[in-house]
Amino acid sequence: MAASKQHTLKKQERLKSRKQLEQLFKEAPSFHAGMLKVYHRLQEPAQQEPLLFGVGVGTRHFKKAVHRNRIKRLIREAYRLQKQALKEQLQTKQQTLCIFFIYTGKELPLYEPLAEKTALALRKLQEIYQ
């Protein structure tokens, strides 16, 4: 069976630039979707990808890197599987959106509730950028 191309998270889609991240945290609006805090900001459409995504977990509640990495992996997976509708919406408008999810929960999450909150956040972003 051939792998589906739409459910990928390529290197070009990752939000890595220190300059972009600093701008995002300083100027961008944010909202909470359950245990996720979501920063979002439209950018000049110079990027080839319509969505740039990053994820972070604080060290206050999760001292072990193993736990932080697991949470980030779960969030990335939930995002990867659900981003398509928002991506298509941005492509039709020729916009580039930077998104950064920060996990604010205090316990190690299960995948299902995290996937629900990720879906909620992506739907809210779709409404904002209609």
Side-chain angles (χ1 to χ4, degrees):
M1 224 167 82
S4 173
K5 288 281 183 195
Q6 66 182 5
H7 296 299
T8 59
L9 189 57
K10 297 179 278 191
K11 188 176 180 180
Q12 295 88 3
E13 293 179 68
R14 302 280 174 103
L15 186 58
K16 294 275 189 182
S17 164
R18 184 177 296 258
K19 185 178 171 184
Q20 285 178 329
L21 286 170
E22 284 176 5
Q23 253 183 348
L24 191 66
F25 291 131
K26 276 186 191 173
E27 303 166 9
S30 65
F31 63 87
H32 282 274
M35 58 197 103
L36 296 173
K37 184 169 186 177
V38 182
Y39 288 89
H40 56 95
R41 181 174 182 267
L42 276 178
Q43 202 172 8
E44 314 80 49
Q47 298 287 334
Q48 47 198 331
E49 291 295 328
L51 270 175
L52 296 175
F53 173 75
V55 64
V57 179
T59 57
R60 177 186 286 170
H61 299 296
F62 301 99
K63 305 291 186 207
K64 295 183 178 179
V66 173
H67 294 158
R68 291 192 304 272
N69 291 341
R70 170 143 179 85
I71 294 168
K72 288 190 281 189
R73 198 174 308 119
L74 290 173
I75 294 171
R76 269 192 231 109
E77 179 68 6
Y79 168 80
R80 181 184 72 84
L81 294 173
Q82 300 173 18
K83 69 177 179 176
Q84 198 58 35
L86 179 60
K87 187 175 182 177
E88 288 169 0
Q89 178 182 331
L90 291 167
Q91 278 177 332
T92 57
K93 292 185 172 190
Q94 296 181 339
Q95 294 176 322
T96 299
L97 180 65
C98 295
I99 309 170
F100 199 89
F101 285 15
I102 296 180
Y103 181 76
T104 57
K106 292 176 175 51
E107 292 120 24
L108 279 172
L110 296 174
Y111 176 75
E112 288 79 21
L114 204 54
E116 288 172 18
K117 299 304 178 189
T118 303
L120 175 71
L122 291 173
R123 278 195 306 272
K124 197 166 184 177
L125 286 167
Q126 272 185 291
E127 291 171 14
I128 292 170
Y129 294 105
Q130 275 185 353

